[in-house]
Amino acid sequence: MAELQLQHLDKIYDNNVQAVYDFNLDVADGELIVLVGPSGCGKSTTLRMVAGLEDITHGKLLLDGRDITAAPAKDRDMAMVFQNYALYGHMTIYENMAFSLTLRRENPNVIHKKVMAAAEILDLTAQLNKKPAQLSGGQRQRVAMGRAIVRSPKVFLFDEPLSNLDAKLRGATRREILLLHKRLNATILYVTHDQTEALTLADRIVCMSMGHVQQIGTPLELYDSPDNTFVATFIGLPPMNMLDTVFEDGKLKGKGFEVSLEADEQALLAPWNGKPVILGVRPEYIAEGGDLNIRVSSNENLGMNTLVHGTIADGVRITAKFRNWMNYKNGDLVPVHFTRKLFFDPETTRAIRKEGK
């Protein structure tokens, strides 16, 4: 496969609107990188710059050390899988998968071997004589992946490939992409707005907002140690609870509630004494029993988990995720404590943590 380097990439359109700011990323050989963020954050624009479908305003793009910044898309040795499949309706599945190789005038025997090999990997052998309209959405997306596989590109590019599928098919196709990555040891750049896809697929995640990279790291790093409030609330479902407090007398004091801190937490927050601090608590970091009370407003049973929504003070909303089936009623008081706490500077939105953490 290949190594890919994105160095200080900017994208500025003719109307002076900047979509991507100083994007830097080194993609290792065989690595699956997921670009994630809300609509309009610049992730698809970044992918299109890599593919050669958008010009790079500033910066460099290197493939195995070779500068391909200005190279046309056809010379970049990359294959892109789009969200709308982009299949030819009048062609059979076999013809769709073979199309790019046919354009290159490759040997028909070589084409046949590559198509059959890709069809076997993707369980499409029985569908090769059908037309795209005869296939399900999940099968059509597999055909689009097969068309990319037969090209044997150095880099695979996926642009929100699962967004047109229903929830069940998304889960199944996500697993197929993961198995495909492991089987081919492929270098993959994958764009999605779905943080579940990012967490389950990625070797590393690039989280973006408003054209800026917010954090790059493993799924666990972004989930467990978010760099700022945006990453903290975007990654994880339900989102992290963000509580406005002030650090005083070794405690975090909010509007109508107080949170006790361990000695090491007090030491960490010492520079913020008397200052506002955002307390971040994931719903799963809340356990029953303690000196805080959630007044329940609603109770969502999710099999072996229960989401409890409510308030811990007047107007201070909170969501807890318990690992059992609960049957709380509106107005019930549930004593809780926080098993883990994260802290953020409200002025910079950056995480407050020990150096090197």
Side-chain angles (χ1 to χ4, degrees), residues 288-304:
E288 289 183 284
D291 54 3
L292 286 169
N293 288 306
I294 297 179
R295 184 172 294 279
V296 176
S297 58
S298 65
N299 189 83
E300 289 184 73
N301 296 117
L302 305 171
M304 290 303 294

Side-chain angles (χ1 to χ4, degrees), residues 124-188:
L124 289 171
T125 306
Q127 317 299 332
L128 291 176
N129 291 323
K130 295 181 180 179
K131 299 288 180 66
Q134 297 174 272
L135 272 56
S136 69
Q139 289 173 320
R140 277 180 273 179
Q141 191 55 273
R142 277 187 279 156
V143 175
M145 288 192 285
R147 187 175 53 191
I149 291 170
V150 299
R151 292 179 54 188
S152 302
K154 287 191 172 182
V155 179
F156 287 86
L157 306 174
F158 287 81
D159 189 9
E160 306 222 29
L162 309 185
S163 61
N164 288 337
L165 305 181
D166 62 35
K168 185 176 180 180
L169 275 176
R170 274 202 305 272
T173 310
R174 189 168 64 233
R175 290 190 291 274
E176 288 172 357
I177 291 172
L178 199 54
L179 290 171
L180 179 67
H181 172 240
K182 293 181 184 299
R183 184 164 181 174
L184 299 178
N185 193 31
T187 303
I188 297 175

Side-chain angles (χ1 to χ4, degrees), residues 85-93 95-96 99 103 131-132 147:
Y85 320 134
L87 302 178
Y88 295 106
H90 65 286
M91 293 182 180
T92 65
I93 302 309
E95 291 167 338
N96 266 281
F99 184 68
L103 282 182
K131 299 288 180 66
R147 187 175 53 191

Side-chain angles (χ1 to χ4, degrees), residues 87-132:
L87 302 178
Y88 295 106
H90 65 286
M91 293 182 180
T92 65
I93 302 309
Y94 184 101
E95 291 167 338
N96 266 281
M97 291 174 64
F99 184 68
S100 63
L101 303 183
T102 303
L103 282 182
R104 293 182 191 173
R105 301 182 185 278
E106 286 206 21
N107 185 299
N109 291 330
V110 173
I111 293 174
H112 183 73
K113 287 180 181 179
K114 288 184 176 181
V115 171
M116 296 308 294
E120 184 177 352
I121 290 171
L122 297 167
D123 193 24
L124 289 171
T125 306
Q127 317 299 332
L128 291 176
N129 291 323
K130 295 181 180 179
K131 299 288 180 66

Side-chain angles (χ1 to χ4, degrees), residues 253-270:
K253 300 180 179 182
K255 185 181 178 183
F257 68 95
E258 288 186 352
V259 178
S260 299
L261 299 175
E262 303 292 337
D264 59 335
E265 294 171 332
Q266 294 181 35
L268 175 67
L269 293 177

Side-chain angles (χ1 to χ4, degrees), residues 241 259 281-296 305-308 312 318-324 326 328 333-341:
N241 298 291
V259 178
V281 183
R282 291 204 180 279
E284 52 270 39
Y285 297 164
I286 302 175
E288 289 183 284
D291 54 3
L292 286 169
N293 288 306
I294 297 179
R295 184 172 294 279
V296 176
N305 295 306
T306 301
L307 294 182
V308 176
I312 55 171
I318 197 165
T319 296
K321 184 177 184 180
F322 297 132
R323 293 183 179 179
N324 295 296
M326 306 293 188
Y328 294 121
L333 283 179
V334 183
V336 298
H337 67 281
F338 300 153
T339 61
R340 183 157 186 251
K341 299 179 281 289

